[in-house]
Amino acid sequence: MKNTLGCLLLDASCLINIYATGCLPEIAGTLPYQLGVAAYVLEREALYTWLSDQASTREEREPIDLSRLVDEGMIDVVHLEHPEERITFVDLAALVDDGEAVTGALALHRGCSVATDDRKARRVLGGQVPSVPLVSTLELLKLWAEEAAVPDTELRAAMIMMRSRASYLPGDRDPLYPWWSKVMCGATL
């Protein structure tokens, strides 16, 4: 079933969130996408996660290291290579942050989906490049949980890690917020 949905480019926020779960290899191996990340995002934006959620140790960070997953072909690092990609990047960069702009440009020209939680980026990409499907961190977690039959306790632990190491909290307007809340509260799904 791997790669049945094509390529999915992670923006910095989604990459940091998923990495912070401590389950990125399992998630990447389960999702029906080939995961990718723009080189710009990897080199300039998605640099680390927190090691702890304790205020006294907030300065302690873990560098994001995808080298093993890249070497194993589970995540592709994608570069702007074509003039059309660069033009779209410049156009989008006038509207959103560079990481979202490069991710959107690459997705548009390479037929990929984009994983982003940034509301402005979702609005802009949805308007400027409506042919690019958008997914969120919670959609990826839910898909992983369903595809791999992840036990609730393991899923909750991953969500707690993501909350503490990436400071991720979904908004209550997120369509999957009730699902997140149930898992986090330990309710039976």
Side-chain angles (χ1 to χ4, degrees):
M1 176 124 142
K2 183 75 171 155
N3 300 333
T4 58
L5 297 178
C7 172
L8 175 68
L9 297 178
L10 303 170
D11 80 347
S13 64
C14 280
L15 176 57
I16 291 167
N17 293 339
I18 300 299
Y19 190 88
T21 66
C23 301
L24 180 56
E26 295 85 354
I27 293 169
T30 301
L31 292 178
Y33 293 101
Q34 174 60 45
L35 297 182
V37 62
Y40 178 93
V41 168
L42 194 55
E43 295 164 2
R44 298 185 186 188
E45 294 186 346
L47 303 177
Y48 61 85
T49 62
W50 299 112
L51 283 176
S52 169
D53 64 346
Q54 303 299 316
S56 64
T57 59
R58 259 304 191 198
E59 66 277 355
E60 296 180 31
R61 304 180 294 191
E62 173 189 0
I64 291 178
D65 180 7
L66 301 181
S67 58
R68 192 190 94 202
L69 295 173
V70 170
D71 290 346
E72 293 174 1
M74 296 179 79
I75 295 181
D76 295 325
V77 178
V78 186
H79 300 266
L80 286 173
E81 296 174 356
H82 306 288
E84 303 84 23
E85 293 171 344
R86 289 185 182 92
I87 291 167
T88 302
F89 163 65
V90 170
D91 291 343
L92 290 174
L95 304 170
V96 294
D97 290 338
D98 287 352
E100 284 88 8
V102 71
T103 302
L106 288 165
L108 174 66
H109 293 285
R110 298 189 188 197
C112 299
S113 300
V114 170
T116 183
D117 294 316
D118 185 276
R119 283 189 297 202
K120 182 178 180 183
R122 292 178 74 83
R123 186 181 75 251
V124 169
L125 293 176
Q128 298 294 314
V129 289
S131 62
V132 174
L134 302 174
V135 298
S136 68
T137 293
L138 286 187
E139 288 175 296
L140 295 177
L141 282 181
K142 190 168 193 296
L143 185 57
W144 168 57
E146 291 168 353
E147 294 288 321
V150 178
D152 291 350
T153 54
E154 184 179 335
L155 182 58
R156 186 176 314 106
M159 288 177 164
I160 289 168
M161 291 281 288
M162 187 171 63
R163 182 182 62 194
S164 65
R165 296 182 64 220
S167 301
Y168 177 82
L169 285 173
D172 59 5
R173 291 187 286 172
D174 187 305
L176 290 176
Y177 183 79
W179 173 76
W180 162 273
S181 295
K182 284 181 184 178
V183 172
M184 291 298 284
C185 291
T188 304
L189 297 176

